[in-house]
Amino acid sequence: MSGLMAEWSYLGTTIGNILTSAPTLLYLCGGVILGYIIGVIPGLGATMGMALVLGVIFRLPQVEGLALLIGILVSSMSSGGITASLANIPGTSAAAATVMDGYPMTKKGRGREACGYAYVSSCIGSILAMILVFFIQPFIAAVALKFGNWETFLFCLFGVMLCGSLVGGDPIRGWVSAFVGIFVSMCGAEAVQSVVRYNFGTTKLLGGVSSVVAILALFGLGEVIYTLSRPTEIRVKAESGFPIVRIPVFLKNIPNIIRSLLAGLWVGFIPGIGESAACWFSYDLARKQEKNGKDFGTGVPEGIIAAEVANNASSVGALIPSLALGIPGSGSTAVFIAALFLIGYRPGPTLMTDSPGVLCAITVLFILAALVMMVAGYFLSRFAIRFLTLEESLLMPLIAIFCAIGAFATTYTKFSLILLLVFGVLGYLMKVFGYPIPPMLLGLLVGNTMDTALRRAMIQYSNDPLAMVTRPFGIAIFVFLLIMLYFSVRTTKSTKSSSKMAEKMEEERKAEFTSEEDGGKP
């Protein structure tokens, strides 16, 4: 208990240090503005935004690097709903459910109001979720310290299995993607006996495949190739001016906000599922619980608020397994973990003992970023339409250049660029053939941990394997994860049913939009 109180005791000092540090505040504001631009441009998102600055943050002091990353993460998640409301195209996958009521509200001439509901709800979700995580994270970390090698392997394995089964429509494709990631993670010399595996005859793979390069390729270059191969026209239909924020509507929706907050935290805690599932799960819950549920999909504030609170709460909830166990809870937190390693932190059970005050720093920066986003989003939303009209033929090559710079900066070798191209093509092919990328990324990040933990456990219990599998703590984890798997599958079934409803309504809106366009032609 003294260890828990020790971490919380750093809060006052951390607040003072951050608020009196001009460079930290400058990087935080810069990250918020950059994240806003990334969030409103369809096809980008928090994952790509943070990946693009990985080549920069390792040159910064720890807190300033954290400020830049968290600013991008919070604001890109918060601004994706603006594009969904104005253009009927989610700026990020996490804002997919916002389209359901955001765009119908815009078609009614209430686009400014839809923007206000979207970005303010996102900021509220980030703030409330981070406060909850601040108080429960030390307890989870204390439990994680009890993990042995066998328990670590179990948790990693179930994280991969959950991610593979719950991301995308086909569990088999998800598991294939996850185990391809595990295979890639085993390239090079393994950690127990330094045996070289799968280096394909080249010494350049002795150190394994760089996770930063893989992230840039799968989420960056792969997306660039996919987008350029299937160009789509972005249609923006909205009024100009500042967003409208109606405080009484938010006060009326307090039960909706609390429900969506808890739903987002729950989905975020499950490793690998991500914010895109959280928004649909919360939207479906709100549709069933609210009195005007039958009006969802016609432009009601409750639908926007439920989706936006949940997707930001989910991104914060994904920090729980990421910080306590080093297992990313989503694609964005996978990049966040890679960035923490680059700037000198070691996510895992000992994070708060090795780096006292880091949880306080993350909490304060998250809340500050959300508050800055509330102010900046109000003024920047007026210019969102300009961001949405950027030509893809100009935007995507620029992203490819940033990916190449980031990949080269990790090792300063041409081989990184070759890996970038290989994994970029792989990411494109996975999108084309319907194989989800997040499970592969999760497998890539936890594969070495799984392998090392299992091999060490087998060595430790080589004389009595039964003692390994009957460890009380391991059995408790096994049962808990089975229960979590059961409820997660039920959650996903509800999410998928809501997604099918969304797809049907989306097709109807597109048909209506096309008929309007055709009718207006001379």
Side-chain angles (χ1 to χ4, degrees):
M1 183 60 68
S2 60
L4 301 179
M5 297 301 294
E7 181 61 30
W8 293 332
S9 67
Y10 291 105
L11 182 59
T13 304
T14 302
I15 293 175
N17 291 340
I18 290 176
L19 291 181
T20 56
S21 173
T24 301
L25 296 177
L26 184 63
Y27 278 109
L28 181 71
C29 294
V32 168
I33 295 173
L34 178 60
Y36 180 91
I37 298 172
I38 290 170
V40 298
I41 299 176
L44 305 187
T47 303
M48 186 183 294
M50 291 190 294
L52 291 176
V53 299
L54 288 180
V56 177
I57 58 123
F58 73 93
R59 300 177 182 274
L60 300 175
Q62 286 184 326
V63 177
E64 292 171 16
L66 267 180
L68 178 61
L69 282 169
I70 291 174
I72 293 174
L73 175 61
V74 172
S75 61
S76 59
M77 290 293 300
S78 301
S79 59
I82 294 174
T83 314
S85 300
L86 294 180
N88 199 32
I89 300 174
T92 64
S93 61
T98 308
V99 170
M100 300 300 298
D101 283 288
Y103 189 64
M105 186 176 288
T106 296
K107 290 177 66 177
K108 295 177 180 178
R110 299 164 59 195
R112 294 164 58 195
E113 193 175 336
C115 286
Y117 291 133
Y119 91 88
V120 173
S121 298
S122 296
C123 295
I124 291 173
S126 294
I127 293 172
L128 296 180
M130 196 64 240
I131 291 173
L132 287 176
V133 169
F134 175 71
F135 287 106
I136 67 176
Q137 185 70 32
F139 294 99
I140 295 175
V143 173
L145 286 172
K146 306 292 185 182
F147 276 32
N149 290 311
W150 175 244
E151 289 79 13
T152 301
F153 167 76
L154 281 178
F155 199 89
C156 290
L157 176 62
F158 273 86
V160 170
M161 296 298 290
L162 282 169
C163 182
S165 62
L166 301 181
V167 176
D170 186 356
I172 301 299
R173 290 174 183 261
W175 289 328
V176 169
S177 177
F179 283 101
V180 167
I182 292 174
F183 170 77
V184 172
S185 74
M186 293 184 180
C187 294
E190 51 87 24
V192 178
Q193 296 176 326
S194 297
V195 176
V196 178
R197 306 174 297 185
Y198 314 127
N199 69 327
F200 301 99
T202 175
T203 57
K204 294 177 180 178
L205 280 175
L206 289 178
V209 175
S210 169
S211 60
V212 175
V213 174
I215 290 168
L216 286 169
L218 293 171
F219 287 96
L221 188 59
E223 185 68 34
V224 168
I225 300 172
Y226 182 79
T227 301
L228 292 179
S229 66
R230 299 186 177 188
T232 56
E233 180 184 357
I234 299 175
R235 298 186 178 100
V236 178
K237 184 179 180 181
E239 55 190 329
S240 60
F242 294 108
I244 298 174
V245 180
R246 300 192 184 279
I247 304 296
V249 175
F250 285 99
L251 294 177
K252 178 184 175 183
N253 274 271
I254 288 178
N256 186 17
I257 291 173
I258 295 174
R259 180 176 57 246
S260 302
L261 174 72
L262 297 177
L265 281 172
W266 161 247
V267 176
F269 173 74
I270 303 171
I273 297 181
E275 303 86 2
S276 56
C279 66
W280 287 115
F281 179 46
S282 176
Y283 184 87
D284 187 60
L285 282 178
R287 182 174 59 87
K288 293 176 179 177
Q289 298 293 327
E290 293 294 326
K291 294 180 180 179
N292 61 341
K294 64 181 185 302
D295 296 328
F296 273 48
T298 63
V300 295
E302 289 81 2
I304 301 175
I305 292 171
E308 288 295 316
V309 169
N311 64 37
N312 279 260
S314 176
S315 67
V316 176
L319 291 175
I320 297 174
S322 302
L323 298 178
L325 299 167
I327 299 174
S330 65
S332 56
T333 51
V335 182
F336 191 73
I337 285 180
L340 289 180
F341 277 104
L342 282 177
I343 59 181
Y345 293 112
R346 293 294 179 268
T350 61
L351 174 65
M352 284 183 284
T353 55
D354 295 340
S355 305
V358 63
L359 179 61
C360 291
I362 292 173
T363 301
V364 173
L365 290 172
F366 252 91
I367 294 175
L368 283 178
L371 293 175
V372 171
M373 177 59 194
M374 276 195 179
V375 178
Y378 181 81
F379 294 99
L380 292 176
S381 294
R382 184 177 184 180
F383 307 101
I385 296 176
R386 296 184 183 180
F387 297 133
L388 300 179
T389 55
L390 286 176
E391 292 288 339
E392 289 179 346
S393 58
L394 172 64
L395 176 65
M396 292 301 157
L398 288 176
I399 294 174
I401 292 172
F402 280 118
C403 289
I405 293 173
F408 184 78
T410 57
T411 60
Y412 295 101
T413 62
K414 296 178 182 178
F415 188 69
S416 292
L417 299 179
I418 296 175
L419 286 178
L420 179 75
L421 180 61
V422 170
F423 280 94
V425 172
L426 177 61
Y428 164 73
L429 293 175
M430 290 177 69
K431 289 182 73 70
V432 168
F433 292 103
Y435 285 86
I437 293 177
M440 179 179 175
L441 180 60
L442 181 63
L444 177 64
L445 290 170
V446 305
N448 262 327
T449 302
M450 287 178 61
D451 175 58
T452 302
L454 177 61
R455 286 156 60 83
R456 285 177 176 170
M458 293 176 68
I459 293 172
Q460 182 180 0
Y461 293 94
S462 58
N463 294 326
D464 189 6
L466 187 62
M468 177 180 72
V469 297
T470 56
R471 282 169 53 93
F473 203 73
I475 293 175
I477 293 175
F478 188 81
V479 172
F480 168 74
L481 291 174
L482 281 179
I483 295 172
M484 188 170 68
L485 176 62
Y486 169 74
F487 283 107
S488 300
V489 170
R490 290 189 59 183
T491 297
T492 304
K493 287 181 179 179
S494 174
T495 299
K496 288 179 179 177
S497 65
S498 180
S499 298
K500 290 179 180 179
M501 174 200 70
E503 290 173 1
K504 182 178 179 181
M505 297 177 67
E506 182 69 14
E507 290 175 359
E508 293 174 355
R509 278 203 302 273
K510 286 183 178 179
E512 180 185 350
F513 187 88
T514 303
S515 63
E516 289 177 2
E517 290 288 312
D518 293 340
K521 290 181 180 180

